[in-house]
């Protein structure tokens, strides 16, 4: 079955013509030829090039290798260490990629590339994505779509002008548990009642800066050619303003994107605090806390986001959507995922009998049963062993419930599958450029708010690319 | 009569072993290195979480590190990244450049001590920059470089027989900077071979360092 690639969401004929006119000169000036649209048939092998073979690139490689009918034909990285790593890794799995230092050479040298995965530092996303789109490739680009709103806007415009798919790597949007929570629990059942608050966190312990393996330094001239000041900044680009949006982008983007998605709204304001208080040799903040106001259909929701890079305390990484009848705590790690019922909510037995949720104590992430040789686990008691007791009767303890959905794949795999499926005409992108753009606007304003030390407002049109 | 004599000799040997002075094995541990956020781990035979410092591993007095800079070979002679020299080079830091990454599926590395030795312990660090579990870890000892004759298995957590060496009942474990110390049970051997079958993060096999402790056989 031959199908045409779907038009990205929000693309109108006027948008197409407008963006196309702006980009026409650039496309004509591109050193490589834009191919005609190349519809993929359902079983066709998709030829893929990877730009950026660092840690995230290899994570995506590992996930993509499990998807049928995907062939990596090229890898590109300015660092020979990473490039060789990616090349040899793929060869272990039967691929035969051609290695490149310069993405322009890759795009012009292998016209048969159908899709490009961009996993480079954020400041290069726009350049790599726009060039790939103009060369006729569909693009999966890691989040944050770009470290600047302007860069993100250019990527959406190029995707529209070229009619190619642009998927941004907010992979939770393809995680079946997140999709289930969004579509079924919140969208259909409204199981949480009226959503009134949200919070999310991602706290990581102190880590040392990344070094360079012996004898693997990139010559300074090469680093400068590609925009890096030195090897230390190349290896630790996430901490420097030129290359990245900082921790609120690196970690927060994934979860703040969940605020926008689950709440079905963009925020109208953000208040934030943060600082470079621990790592004196970095430029970006090492801790940020933000408070958003979301004007949702059912009322205002305040959402708090915290990211720390000096402590792993706080109970893992998760997003918490709270309503007047229940709350959803969800994470890529299933052990942090739970539904909590407010005592005032109608009984959830109906949802259990409907198969929407499952009773506490079962499901993915539940505690394993006690083994015969293990001591029974102590029950949590609200009563102190001392003579004095603390009265905790203010509110009833929430009961925990589970979702009947599991993810038995690498966490990035479903999002890549969604990208390749869309190329084959099967479904639409879960995180197209427009979504990535709105998330970038939401995220990057936090840094402005930290610097301004005051609440900043969003206008609705800010979120439209 | 012969049986009785043999039994007496064996008993005397055991008593001699028991009489040996035992001392804690001193490991030079690298810095803790967990980077990033741990990925979910689902393993059927995972050992219960350990809290606090593990008790010292006792070895006979006079036990020394035998494996430093000794040659290592592998089922994968063309690693994805790193060199096989990483296995015994003494660098346990775990950072990029300190480990060798072998291909997918069942793979092994083998350390040649150069001569048979009475082995007390084997310490292994697969990859400790992330909390992950290596599947089907089996450690064998032999004087046969091909591991076809007189093979002693001293660790086996391969509960599905993925390696084809028989099922084992040892626990799977989460990698940390402490590595894993395996009891070599005083076996005399020249070669140490370690198997694995990928890990909970990917299908690949890594070795940051293998240390073999024992006493030379004179």
């Amino acid at each position: 079955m031959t199908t045409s690639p779907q038009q990205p969401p929000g693309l109108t004929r006027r948008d197409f013509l407008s963006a196309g006119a702006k980009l026409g000169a650039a496309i004509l000036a591109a050193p490589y030829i834009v191919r005609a649209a190349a519809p993929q048939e359902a079983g066709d092998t998709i030829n893929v090039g990877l730009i950026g073979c660092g840690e995230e690139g290899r994570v995506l490689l590992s996930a993509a290798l499990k998807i049928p009918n995907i062939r990596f034909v090229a890898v590109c990285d300015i660092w020979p260490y990473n490039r060789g790593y990616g090349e040899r890794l793929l060869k272990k799995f039967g691929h035969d990629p051609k290695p490149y230092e310069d993405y322009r050479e890759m795009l012009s040298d292998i016209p048969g590339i159908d899709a490009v995965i961009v996993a480079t530092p954020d400041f290069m996303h726009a350049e790599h994505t726009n060039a790939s789109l103009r060369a006729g490739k569909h693009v999966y680009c890691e989040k944050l779509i770009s470290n600047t709103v302007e860069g993100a806007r250019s990527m959406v415009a190029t995707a529209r002008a070229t009619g190619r798919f642009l998927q941004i790597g907010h992979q939770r949007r393809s995680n079946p548990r997140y999709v289930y929570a969004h579509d079924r629990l919140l969208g259909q059942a409204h199981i949480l009642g009226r959503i009134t608050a949200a919070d999310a966190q991602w706290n990581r312990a102190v880590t040392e800066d990344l070094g360079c393996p012996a004898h693997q330094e990139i010559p300074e001239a090469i680093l400068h050619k590609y925009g890096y000041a030195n090897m230390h900044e190349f290896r630790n680009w996430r901490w420097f303003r030129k290359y990245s949006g900082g921790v609120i982008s690196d970690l927060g983007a994934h979860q703040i994107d969940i605020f926008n998605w689950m709440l079905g709204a963009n925020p109208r304001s953000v208040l934030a605090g943060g600082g470079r208080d621990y790592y004196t040799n970095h430029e970006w903040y090492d801790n940020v806390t933000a408070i958003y106001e979301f004007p949702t259909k059912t009322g205002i929701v305040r959402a708090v986001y915290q990211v720390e890079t000096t402590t792993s305390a706080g109970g893992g990484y998760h997003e918490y959507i709270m309503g007047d009848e229940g709350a959803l705590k969800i994470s890529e790690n299933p052990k942090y995922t739970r539904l909590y019922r407010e005592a005032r909510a109608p009984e959830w037995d109906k949802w259990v009998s409907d198969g929407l949720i499952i009773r506490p104590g079962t499901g993915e992430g539940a505690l394993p049963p006690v083994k015969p040789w293990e001591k029974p686990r102590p029950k949590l008691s609200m009563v102190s062993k001392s003579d004095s007791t603390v009265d905790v009767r203010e509110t009833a303890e929430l009961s925990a419930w589970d979702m009947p959905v599991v993810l038995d794949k690498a966490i990035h795999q479903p999002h890549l599958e969604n990208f390749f499926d869309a190329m084959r005409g099967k479904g639409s992108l879960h995180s197209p450029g427009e979504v990535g753009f709105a998330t970038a606007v939401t995220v990057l304003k936090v840094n402005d708010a930290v610097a301004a030390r005051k609440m900043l407002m969003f206008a609705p049109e800010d979120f439209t690319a | 009569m012969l049986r009785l004599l043999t039994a007496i000799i064996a008993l005397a040997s055991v008593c001699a072993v028991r009489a040996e002075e035992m001392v804690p094995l001193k490991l030079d541990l690298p810095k803790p290195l967990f980077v990033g956020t741990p990925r979910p781990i689902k393993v059927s035979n995972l050992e219960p979480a350990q809290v606090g410092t593990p008790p010292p591993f006792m070895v006979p007095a006079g036990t020394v590190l035998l494996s430093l800079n000794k040659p290592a070979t592998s089922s994968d002679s063309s690693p994805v990244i790193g060199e096989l020299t990483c296995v015994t080079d003494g660098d346990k830091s775990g950072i990029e450049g300190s480990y060798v990454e072998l291909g997918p599926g069942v793979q092994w590395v083998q350390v040649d001590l150069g001569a048979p030795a009475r082995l007390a312990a084997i310490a292994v660090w697969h990859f400790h920059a992330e909390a992950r579990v290596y599947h089907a870890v089996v450690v064998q000892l032999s004087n046969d470089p091909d591991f076809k004759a007189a093979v002693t298995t001293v660790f086996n957590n391969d509960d599905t027989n993925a390696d084809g060496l028989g099922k084992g009942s040892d626990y799977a474990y989460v990698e940390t900077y402490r590595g894993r110390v395996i009891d070599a049970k005083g076996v005399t051997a020249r070669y140490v071979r370690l198997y694995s079958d990928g890990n909970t993060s990917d299908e690949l096999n890594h070795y940051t360092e293998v240390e073999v402790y024992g006493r030379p056989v004179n």
Side-chain angles (χ1 to χ4, degrees):
Chain A
M1 184 183 71
T2 302
T3 55
S4 297
Q6 284 195 331
Q7 190 168 275
L11 176 61
T12 64
R13 179 173 166 74
R14 178 176 294 179
D15 290 335
F16 182 94
L17 293 174
S18 170
K22 290 176 190 169
L23 289 163
I27 292 171
L28 288 172
Y32 19 78
I33 300 167
V34 177
R35 288 198 308 145
Q40 301 290 328
E41 294 205 16
D44 277 356
T45 294
I46 293 176
N47 293 319
V48 181
L50 171 68
I51 306 178
C53 303
E55 191 172 334
E56 190 60 26
R58 296 197 295 270
V59 166
L60 294 174
L61 271 188
S62 294
L65 284 169
K66 297 180 175 67
I67 303 173
N69 299 321
I70 301 299
R71 178 169 53 211
F72 283 90
V73 295
V75 293
C76 176
D77 200 295
I78 70 165
W79 194 17
Y81 180 87
N82 273 351
R83 194 164 65 240
Y85 203 151
E87 182 186 3
R88 287 191 294 272
L89 175 62
L90 284 165
K91 284 185 173 176
K92 293 289 184 190
F93 289 88
H95 300 249
D96 190 20
K98 202 169 173 187
Y100 293 91
E101 174 188 301
D102 192 321
Y103 73 93
R104 287 164 285 220
E105 194 181 339
M106 180 187 90
L107 292 174
S108 61
D109 200 30
I110 310 185
I113 294 175
D114 301 305
V116 170
I117 295 175
V118 175
T120 48
D122 294 0
F123 82 119
M124 292 304 295
H125 284 181
E127 180 176 328
H128 290 156
T129 296
N130 287 332
S132 300
L133 292 167
R134 287 174 192 145
K137 321 303 180 190
H138 303 289
V139 174
Y140 180 108
C141 178
E142 256 307 324
K143 68 83 210 163
L144 191 66
I145 180 173
S146 172
N147 64 326
T148 66
V149 172
E150 295 72 26
R153 196 186 306 278
S154 76
M155 294 160 72
V156 175
T158 309
R160 288 174 177 164
T162 57
R164 294 300 185 271
F165 286 111
L166 170 59
Q167 172 97 310
I168 305 302
H170 295 292
Q171 74 271 0
R172 284 166 176 76
R173 290 193 180 235
S174 296
N175 184 314
R177 279 186 300 112
Y178 279 81
V179 172
Y180 186 84
H182 176 268
D183 293 355
R184 300 288 306 281
L185 300 180
L186 274 60
Q188 292 177 8
H190 305 290
I191 197 167
L192 307 184
R194 177 183 160 182
I195 295 173
T196 55
D199 75 32
Q201 69 145 59
W202 200 329
N203 292 350
R204 282 182 169 176
V206 170
T207 56
E208 294 184 5
D209 285 358
L210 295 173
C212 179
H215 315 301
Q216 297 291 343
E217 291 85 359
I218 303 174
E220 202 168 73
I222 300 289
L223 285 168
H224 292 171
K225 175 185 172 185
Y226 290 105
Y228 297 93
N230 52 53
M231 197 66 194
H232 181 256
E233 290 191 12
F234 172 76
R235 291 286 284 144
N236 298 280
W237 59 270
R238 294 176 188 277
W239 290 112
F240 293 90
R241 290 174 180 266
K242 178 181 177 184
Y243 319 103
S244 152
V247 291
I248 198 69
S249 162
D250 285 335
L251 298 175
H254 280 302
Q255 300 175 291
I256 292 167
D257 178 60
I258 296 303
F259 287 162
N260 290 10
W261 186 38
M262 293 287 181
L263 299 176
N266 294 316
R268 71 180 184 187
S269 70
V270 63
L271 178 67
R276 192 191 61 163
D277 305 320
Y278 191 89
Y279 299 100
T280 54
N281 61 332
H282 297 164
E283 289 180 357
W284 269 124
Y285 311 128
D286 48 54
N287 67 96
V288 177
T289 301
I291 305 173
Y292 290 102
E293 280 182 350
F294 284 85
T296 73
K297 288 178 182 173
T298 54
I300 291 294
V301 173
R302 283 195 180 75
V304 179
Y305 186 75
Q306 179 189 38
V307 55
E308 303 286 338
T309 58
T310 57
T311 173
S312 59
Y317 60 116
H318 56 258
E319 303 88 51
Y320 213 158
I321 311 296
M322 295 170 256
D324 59 1
E325 294 186 354
L328 168 68
K329 189 176 185 182
I330 191 164
S331 169
E332 282 189 317
N333 190 333
K335 79 176 183 181
Y336 300 136
T337 300
R338 281 289 186 281
L339 279 157
Y340 297 96
R341 191 179 74 82
E342 290 281 333
R344 65 179 290 277
E347 292 295 334
W348 282 2
D349 294 349
K350 173 183 182 306
W351 302 126
V352 173
S353 59
D354 288 352
L356 191 73
I357 61 174
I358 50 182
R359 293 196 179 281
T362 58
E364 185 187 23
L367 287 172
V370 176
K371 305 277 193 324
W373 58 87
E374 290 178 334
K375 292 179 181 175
R377 295 191 184 95
K379 290 182 180 174
L380 293 176
S381 172
M382 305 304 283
V383 180
S384 168
K385 288 178 179 174
S386 64
D387 292 338
S388 61
T389 58
V390 178
D391 191 323
V392 290
R393 289 175 297 175
E394 294 93 340
T395 187
E397 190 177 7
L398 301 178
S399 62
W401 303 66
D402 292 322
M403 269 192 282
V405 184
V406 298
L407 172 63
D408 55 1
K409 301 174 179 175
I411 55 176
H412 295 82
Q413 188 176 334
H415 206 46
L416 287 159
E417 288 172 343
N418 169 245
F419 172 61
F420 295 126
D421 283 348
M423 286 178 61
R424 293 189 168 109
K426 296 191 291 184
S428 55
L429 294 177
H430 292 166
S431 182
E434 287 82 354
V435 163
F437 177 83
T439 299
V441 170
T442 310
V443 167
L444 293 173
K445 197 114 175 173
V446 171
N447 288 330
D448 298 339
V450 172
R453 293 180 171 271
K454 65 178 183 181
M455 178 183 283
L456 299 182
M457 306 303 292
F458 294 96
E461 58 269 25
D462 290 348
F463 299 97
T464 304
Chain B
M1 185 61 187
L2 185 60
R3 282 186 184 174
L4 178 63
L5 190 60
T6 305
I8 290 170
I9 292 171
L11 186 61
S13 302
V14 169
C15 291
V17 168
R18 285 186 178 162
E20 277 182 329
E21 183 192 358
M22 302 296 281
V23 297
L25 177 65
K26 289 184 180 173
L27 287 178
D28 182 17
L29 295 178
K31 282 197 244 179
L33 193 66
F34 279 178
V35 176
T37 300
R39 304 182 206 199
I41 293 173
K42 288 176 78 171
V43 178
S44 58
N45 59 337
L46 188 63
E47 73 178 357
Q50 312 240 332
V51 179
T53 306
F57 187 88
M58 304 302 286
V59 295
T63 294
V64 295
L65 175 61
L66 301 168
S67 55
L68 186 64
N69 294 322
K70 291 293 195 298
T73 52
S74 171
S75 53
D76 184 354
S77 58
S78 178
V80 177
I81 200 74
E83 307 290 336
L84 287 169
T85 52
C86 292
V87 176
T88 57
D89 66 356
D91 181 356
K92 290 172 266 184
S93 63
I95 61 174
E96 294 236 35
S98 70
Y99 59 85
V100 61
E101 180 173 296
L102 309 177
V106 177
Q107 302 286 354
W108 53 259
V109 295
Q110 181 171 317
V111 178
D112 178 2
L113 301 174
R118 192 167 178 191
L119 305 183
I122 296 133
V124 55
W125 290 259
H126 286 100
F127 183 93
H128 63 91
E130 177 189 63
R132 56 169 66 170
V133 173
Y134 281 81
H135 302 302
V137 174
V138 174
V139 181
Q140 294 186 327
L141 312 175
S142 181
N143 284 312
D144 175 7
D146 296 324
F147 277 75
K148 290 179 179 171
V151 175
T152 303
T153 299
V154 291
F155 186 88
N156 185 342
N157 68 18
D158 181 7
D159 64 343
T160 62
N161 195 24
D163 297 344
L165 302 168
K167 287 185 181 181
S169 58
D170 289 308
Y171 277 127
Y173 61 91
V174 177
E175 294 283 326
T176 73
Y177 73 101
R178 291 185 180 279
R180 175 60 42 147
V181 180
I182 292 161
D183 189 351
K185 306 179 195 304
V187 172
T188 297
R190 172 175 170 175
Y191 302 97
V192 179
R193 184 179 280 196
L194 303 97
Y195 293 83
S196 62
D197 181 19
N199 65 86
T200 47
S201 290
D202 56 44
E203 297 168 80
L204 303 161
N205 299 275
H206 306 81
Y207 289 89
T208 300
E209 192 71 10
V210 173
E211 290 187 337
V212 183
Y213 290 88
R215 291 173 295 175
V217 175
N218 296 318

